[in-house]
Amino acid sequence: MAAFPEALRGSGLSEPEHQGELCTVLRLLGAADLSIARLIEGHINAIALVCRYGTKAQQASLASDVGDGALAAVWGADDAAGLKIVTDGSRAELVGRKILASGAGFVTRPIVTAKAGEDQLMCLLRLAPDHPVDLSGWTAQGMRSTATGAVDLTGIPIGSDEIVGSAGDFMRQPWFSGGAWRFCAAHLGATERLVELFRDHLISRGRAEDPYQLQRVAGCVAAARTARFWVEEAARRFGGGHCNPDATVAFANMTRMVTERSALDVMETVQRGAGLLAFNRPDPIERICRDLSTYLRQPVPDLAMSNAARAWLNSSAPAGEF
């Protein structure tokens, strides 16, 4: 319930003025378990979308269900056919499925994107706990506990109670791309935890004074701290601390690049420093590296990077004030 406004018995965690607190929550969740962080991030994103674009009735309905234990999510990935809203007379229903749907089998209040002609709409669904899902295709190296799979939604009726907002709201900026800082916060938490585990490893084995290991530790701390500066600033800008929406998106896109590079550098360094132990289950270093390397694969990283670079090139801002 924490993500809802106080009027809906929440603490406003998804509201602009609380993005700093949300950043801390997602960072700590990422340090503990990236699969849980992924599910909670999607849950909070769904609540934020309904609170931003939905009707009062939709907000109250979702808050009531979440208060009773329901899990929300945002399912946006489509297969080649895509999910469509098909109208037959006065009746409209979904035809198709969603893929890469995290929390499949657990989520009962997903927001799904669907095409109605040329328009993209958001639909807030209520699924039965036993709604069929297919997890057989989720064979990724990491993030196995997210229960990511395909969900056939064909036949679900769609009316005004299910449609959230207007056409195009889902990808409206700066909310769509600017919100990337949330998964970066989870990545950051896991990266920081890796650095701490590396410290524990070296101290417990009496290797903390090895000059090569000291060099590795210094590099890891610097990389993690650099990412934290960027992620926290991206959260602040997203929450309204920066008045230019285009700059907010550009900074979030750059934050993706910085966070990914920091995480990759830390993983490589920790694996080299810890040796074979870093690849053996059930050591937590192995688990975090496996999950983090998978979760880092967010969509279109090159496009995010190039858009951020283009935004700076088209501005007159000094590099230090980007």
Side-chain angles (χ1 to χ4, degrees):
M1 291 299 296
F4 286 98
E6 291 183 4
L8 293 170
R9 298 183 293 120
S11 59
L13 197 59
S14 66
E15 296 185 311
E17 60 269 26
H18 294 292
Q19 297 305 280
E21 293 96 319
L22 177 57
C23 183
T24 299
V25 169
L26 291 173
R27 186 170 56 82
L28 294 176
L29 285 171
D33 190 296
L34 280 170
S35 291
I36 292 175
R38 169 71 187 94
L39 295 174
I40 295 302
E41 188 275 327
H43 176 78
I44 292 173
N45 189 21
I47 292 171
L49 287 168
V50 173
C51 289
R52 184 177 304 125
Y53 299 116
T55 64
K56 295 295 184 183
Q58 288 171 332
Q59 295 169 22
S61 172
L62 181 59
S64 176
D65 287 347
V66 169
D68 290 336
L71 183 66
V74 179
W75 293 344
D78 288 308
D79 58 14
L83 183 65
K84 298 179 176 64
I85 300 174
V86 177
T87 302
D88 183 7
S90 61
R91 175 182 171 83
E93 64 179 31
L94 293 175
V95 175
R97 65 176 190 158
K98 282 297 178 182
I99 61 172
L100 299 177
S102 294
F106 299 96
V107 168
T108 56
R109 297 305 312 270
I111 285 181
V112 301
T113 53
K115 279 297 191 72
E118 294 301 314
D119 293 332
Q120 184 190 56
L121 296 171
M122 290 186 287
C123 304
L124 176 61
L125 307 182
R126 178 179 280 108
L127 301 181
D130 61 349
H131 187 93
V133 302
D134 180 7
L135 303 181
S136 63
W138 185 238
T139 58
Q141 177 186 21
M143 302 295 287
R144 299 298 300 276
S145 299
T146 56
T148 296
V151 185
D152 193 338
L153 302 170
T154 299
I156 293 179
I158 297 297
S160 59
D161 290 344
E162 286 73 38
I163 301 296
V164 176
S166 304
D169 279 347
F170 178 68
M171 298 186 71
R172 202 168 301 284
Q173 301 291 14
W175 312 111
F176 180 69
S177 298
W181 73 264
R182 292 188 301 268
F183 62 71
C184 290
H187 300 164
L188 169 62
T191 301
E192 291 176 324
R193 182 60 180 148
L194 272 180
V195 180
E196 293 163 6
L197 289 169
F198 187 36
R199 175 180 60 190
D200 296 345
H201 167 82
L202 294 177
I203 292 174
S204 67
R205 287 161 176 77
R207 302 174 65 196
E209 292 303 317
D210 183 296
Y212 298 105
Q213 299 289 27
L214 289 172
Q215 182 182 34
R216 292 188 177 108
V217 168
C220 285
V221 172
R225 193 61 176 141
T226 297
R228 185 160 174 177
F229 282 132
W230 279 79
V231 172
E232 290 182 340
E233 174 65 7
R236 186 188 70 82
R237 294 188 182 205
F238 185 81
H242 198 281
C243 61
N244 186 330
D246 292 337
T248 298
V249 170
F251 195 90
N253 283 335
M254 193 70 77
T255 298
R256 287 182 56 178
M257 182 188 73
V258 173
T259 307
E260 179 191 25
R261 186 68 264 162
S262 295
L264 290 172
D265 287 347
V266 167
M267 281 193 291
E268 179 185 10
T269 302
V270 171
Q271 287 172 337
R272 288 174 63 88
L276 189 59
L277 173 143
F279 298 88
N280 287 341
R281 299 182 184 181
D283 191 272
I285 291 177
E286 186 278 334
R287 173 183 58 81
I288 292 174
C289 288
R290 173 164 35 90
D291 285 346
L292 184 55
S293 61
T294 301
Y295 197 179
L296 282 172
R297 296 305 109 216
Q298 292 294 321
V300 292
D302 296 333
L303 179 63
M305 177 272 298
S306 60
N307 283 346
R310 189 175 293 111
W312 184 78
L313 286 172
N314 291 334
S315 76
S316 58
E321 298 177 13
F322 176 68

